[in-house]
Amino acid sequence: MARRLDYSARYPLHTTEELYAALQSRDYWEARVAEMRKYAPNNEVVSLDVTDDGIEVVLHHTLPREMLPEIAQTVMRKDMVITRKESWGPFDHDETEGKFSASIPAGPGSLTGTIRLFPTETGATMRFSPTAKVFIPMVGPRLEQLMLVNLVDLFRAEQEETLRFLDNQTADKSV
Protein backbone atom coordinates (compact mmCIF):
# COMPACT_ATOMS: atom_id res chain seq x y z
CA MET A 1 0.00 0.00 0.00
CA ALA A 2 1.45 3.37 -1.04
CA ARG A 3 1.92 6.20 1.45
CA ARG A 4 1.14 9.84 0.69
CA LEU A 5 1.62 13.22 2.28
CA ASP A 6 1.25 16.92 1.50
CA TYR A 7 3.91 19.52 2.18
CA SER A 8 3.58 23.26 1.62
CA ALA A 9 6.67 25.39 1.07
CA ARG A 10 5.79 29.04 1.70
CA TYR A 11 7.62 31.98 0.20
CA PRO A 12 6.46 35.15 1.96
CA LEU A 13 7.15 38.41 0.17
CA HIS A 14 7.84 36.61 -3.12
CA THR A 15 5.45 36.26 -6.04
CA THR A 16 4.63 33.22 -8.08
CA GLU A 17 6.21 35.03 -11.05
CA GLU A 18 9.52 35.24 -9.14
CA LEU A 19 9.39 31.56 -8.28
CA TYR A 20 8.58 30.53 -11.82
CA ALA A 21 11.42 32.70 -13.14
CA ALA A 22 13.77 30.94 -10.70
CA LEU A 23 12.57 27.53 -11.91
CA GLN A 24 13.56 28.59 -15.44
CA SER A 25 17.09 29.56 -14.35
CA ARG A 26 20.04 27.18 -14.51
CA ASP A 27 21.69 29.32 -11.78
CA TYR A 28 18.79 28.45 -9.46
CA TRP A 29 19.09 24.70 -10.05
CA GLU A 30 22.89 24.84 -9.68
CA ALA A 31 22.46 26.67 -6.35
CA ARG A 32 20.02 24.01 -5.13
CA VAL A 33 22.37 21.19 -6.16
CA ALA A 34 25.32 22.96 -4.52
CA GLU A 35 23.35 23.15 -1.27
CA MET A 36 22.52 19.44 -1.49
CA ARG A 37 26.25 18.64 -1.77
CA LYS A 38 26.46 19.47 1.94
CA TYR A 39 24.49 16.26 2.56
CA ALA A 40 25.76 14.06 -0.28
CA PRO A 41 28.81 15.01 -2.34
CA ASN A 42 27.72 13.82 -5.79
CA ASN A 43 24.82 15.83 -7.12
CA GLU A 44 24.41 17.40 -10.53
CA VAL A 45 22.00 19.15 -12.87
CA VAL A 46 21.78 16.77 -15.82
CA SER A 47 19.48 18.89 -17.99
CA LEU A 48 17.21 21.91 -17.93
CA ASP A 49 14.83 22.56 -20.82
CA VAL A 50 12.67 25.68 -20.86
CA THR A 51 10.08 26.07 -23.63
CA ASP A 52 6.73 27.77 -24.15
CA ASP A 53 5.17 24.51 -22.91
CA GLY A 54 6.94 24.66 -19.54
CA ILE A 55 10.04 23.48 -17.73
CA GLU A 56 11.73 20.07 -17.58
CA VAL A 57 14.68 19.43 -15.26
CA VAL A 58 16.63 16.26 -14.50
CA LEU A 59 18.90 15.98 -11.44
CA HIS A 60 21.15 13.17 -10.21
CA HIS A 61 21.73 12.65 -6.49
CA THR A 62 24.20 9.99 -5.40
CA LEU A 63 24.00 8.84 -1.80
CA PRO A 64 26.93 6.71 -0.61
CA ARG A 65 25.67 3.38 0.72
CA GLU A 66 27.24 4.02 4.14
CA MET A 67 25.10 7.17 4.48
CA LEU A 68 21.87 5.21 4.03
CA PRO A 69 19.82 4.10 7.04
CA GLU A 70 20.48 0.49 8.08
CA ILE A 71 17.13 -0.73 6.80
CA ALA A 72 17.88 0.77 3.36
CA GLN A 73 21.36 -0.79 3.33
CA THR A 74 19.73 -4.22 3.59
CA VAL A 75 18.26 -3.79 0.10
CA MET A 76 20.84 -1.46 -1.49
CA ARG A 77 24.17 -3.20 -2.12
CA LYS A 78 25.93 -0.14 -3.56
CA ASP A 79 25.65 3.64 -3.64
CA MET A 80 22.13 4.88 -4.35
CA VAL A 81 21.89 6.95 -7.54
CA ILE A 82 18.61 8.82 -7.64
CA THR A 83 17.38 10.34 -10.89
CA ARG A 84 14.99 13.11 -10.05
CA LYS A 85 12.76 14.64 -12.71
CA GLU A 86 10.63 17.71 -12.27
CA SER A 87 8.36 19.25 -14.87
CA TRP A 88 6.20 22.35 -14.80
CA GLY A 89 3.46 23.46 -17.16
CA PRO A 90 3.38 26.95 -18.61
CA PHE A 91 2.81 29.83 -16.21
CA ASP A 92 -0.84 30.85 -16.40
CA HIS A 93 -2.54 33.60 -14.39
CA ASP A 94 -0.29 33.55 -11.31
CA GLU A 95 -0.14 29.78 -10.95
CA THR A 96 1.02 26.56 -12.51
CA GLU A 97 1.19 22.87 -11.80
CA GLY A 98 3.93 20.34 -12.15
CA LYS A 99 4.93 16.80 -11.36
CA PHE A 100 8.01 15.06 -10.09
CA SER A 101 9.47 11.61 -9.80
CA ALA A 102 12.52 10.00 -8.31
CA SER A 103 13.86 6.68 -9.50
CA ILE A 104 16.68 4.34 -8.57
CA PRO A 105 18.02 1.82 -11.11
CA ALA A 106 16.65 -1.58 -10.11
CA GLY A 107 15.11 0.18 -7.12
CA PRO A 108 12.48 -1.61 -5.10
CA GLY A 109 9.88 1.13 -5.32
CA SER A 110 8.74 4.43 -6.71
CA LEU A 111 8.32 8.03 -5.70
CA THR A 112 6.03 10.29 -7.71
CA GLY A 113 4.02 13.37 -7.02
CA THR A 114 2.45 16.62 -8.06
CA ILE A 115 3.37 20.21 -7.30
CA ARG A 116 1.17 23.27 -7.40
CA LEU A 117 2.53 26.83 -7.36
CA PHE A 118 -0.07 29.42 -6.37
CA PRO A 119 -0.30 32.91 -4.85
CA THR A 120 -1.26 33.60 -1.24
CA GLU A 121 -2.03 36.81 0.63
CA THR A 122 1.57 37.06 1.87
CA GLY A 123 3.46 35.69 -1.13
CA ALA A 124 3.51 32.32 -2.87
CA THR A 125 3.23 28.65 -1.94
CA MET A 126 4.41 25.43 -3.56
CA ARG A 127 2.33 22.44 -2.45
CA PHE A 128 4.03 19.07 -2.93
CA SER A 129 1.94 15.89 -2.86
CA PRO A 130 4.28 12.87 -3.06
CA THR A 131 3.39 9.18 -3.07
CA ALA A 132 5.96 6.56 -2.01
CA LYS A 133 5.60 2.87 -2.85
CA VAL A 134 8.08 0.11 -1.96
CA PHE A 135 7.52 -3.39 -3.34
CA ILE A 136 9.23 -5.40 -0.59
CA PRO A 137 7.09 -7.48 1.76
CA MET A 138 7.44 -6.76 5.48
CA VAL A 139 9.84 -3.78 5.22
CA GLY A 140 8.00 -1.91 2.45
CA PRO A 141 5.77 0.19 4.73
CA ARG A 142 8.74 1.15 6.95
CA LEU A 143 10.80 2.17 3.91
CA GLU A 144 7.88 4.16 2.48
CA GLN A 145 7.53 6.08 5.73
CA LEU A 146 11.30 6.64 5.84
CA MET A 147 11.23 7.96 2.26
CA LEU A 148 8.50 10.46 3.08
CA VAL A 149 10.15 11.66 6.29
CA ASN A 150 13.42 12.21 4.41
CA LEU A 151 11.53 13.89 1.60
CA VAL A 152 10.06 16.45 4.00
CA ASP A 153 13.60 17.23 5.19
CA LEU A 154 14.67 17.62 1.56
CA PHE A 155 11.71 19.91 0.78
CA ARG A 156 12.60 22.08 3.79
CA ALA A 157 16.25 22.37 2.73
CA GLU A 158 15.21 23.22 -0.82
CA GLN A 159 12.73 25.78 0.47
CA GLU A 160 15.49 27.48 2.46
CA GLU A 161 17.81 27.52 -0.57
CA THR A 162 14.99 28.84 -2.77
CA LEU A 163 14.31 31.66 -0.31
CA ARG A 164 18.02 32.48 -0.24
CA PHE A 165 18.14 32.51 -4.04
CA LEU A 166 15.03 34.70 -4.33
CA ASP A 167 16.26 37.10 -1.65
CA ASN A 168 19.59 37.45 -3.48
CA GLN A 169 17.76 38.08 -6.77
CA THR A 170 15.65 40.78 -5.10
CA ALA A 171 18.74 42.37 -3.53
CA ASP A 172 20.57 42.36 -6.87
CA LYS A 173 17.65 44.15 -8.57
CA SER A 174 17.50 46.85 -5.90
CA VAL A 175 21.19 47.75 -6.23
Side-chain angles (χ1 to χ4, degrees):
M1 183 171 154
R3 294 184 187 266
R4 306 173 201 284
L5 70 81
D6 287 315
Y7 178 82
S8 293
R10 291 178 175 75
Y11 301 94
L13 309 178
H14 292 287
T15 65
T16 55
E17 291 91 350
E18 290 173 309
L19 263 90
Y20 196 79
L23 293 169
Q24 294 176 306
S25 164
R26 183 147 192 122
D27 289 343
Y28 165 72
W29 292 102
E30 292 290 351
R32 258 181 54 173
V33 165
E35 181 64 22
M36 293 302 106
R37 286 188 191 115
K38 292 178 181 176
Y39 309 102
N42 298 318
N43 296 292
E44 67 175 323
V45 178
V46 176
S47 66
L48 172 64
D49 295 311
V50 179
T51 67
D52 291 343
D53 293 328
I55 303 164
E56 299 274 341
V57 65
V58 177
L59 309 172
H60 278 175
H61 301 291
T62 303
L63 299 172
R65 184 175 184 272
E66 61 272 6
M67 290 180 68
L68 300 173
E70 247 183 72
I71 190 169
Q73 288 183 30
T74 62
V75 295
M76 298 300 298
R77 298 292 177 210
K78 54 186 179 178
D79 293 350
M80 184 186 317
V81 179
I82 302 167
T83 298
R84 187 168 163 197
K85 297 178 181 180
E86 202 167 302
S87 63
W88 292 88
F91 190 72
D92 188 29
H93 303 298
D94 289 337
E95 61 183 77
T96 187
E97 293 185 357
K99 59 185 175 181
F100 64 92
S101 65
S103 61
I104 302 165
S110 64
L111 178 69
T112 59
T114 60
I115 318 166
R116 184 169 166 251
L117 171 62
F118 58 94
T120 61
E121 288 183 18
T122 59
T125 295
M126 274 189 201
R127 180 160 300 128
F128 296 85
S129 299
T131 300
K133 176 66 180 152
V134 175
F135 308 104
I136 301 174
M138 307 299 283
V139 297
R142 288 178 45 206
L143 286 172
E144 291 166 356
Q145 188 63 35
L146 182 64
M147 287 170 63
L148 293 176
V149 166
N150 286 322
L151 195 59
V152 167
D153 291 341
L154 176 69
F155 289 155
R156 282 188 188 125
E158 289 176 348
Q159 177 184 12
E160 289 172 15
E161 181 54 37
T162 301
L163 279 169
R164 207 172 2 261
F165 183 85
L166 293 170
D167 290 345
N168 288 340
Q169 295 293 306
T170 303
D172 290 347
K173 287 179 184 176
S174 66
V175 172

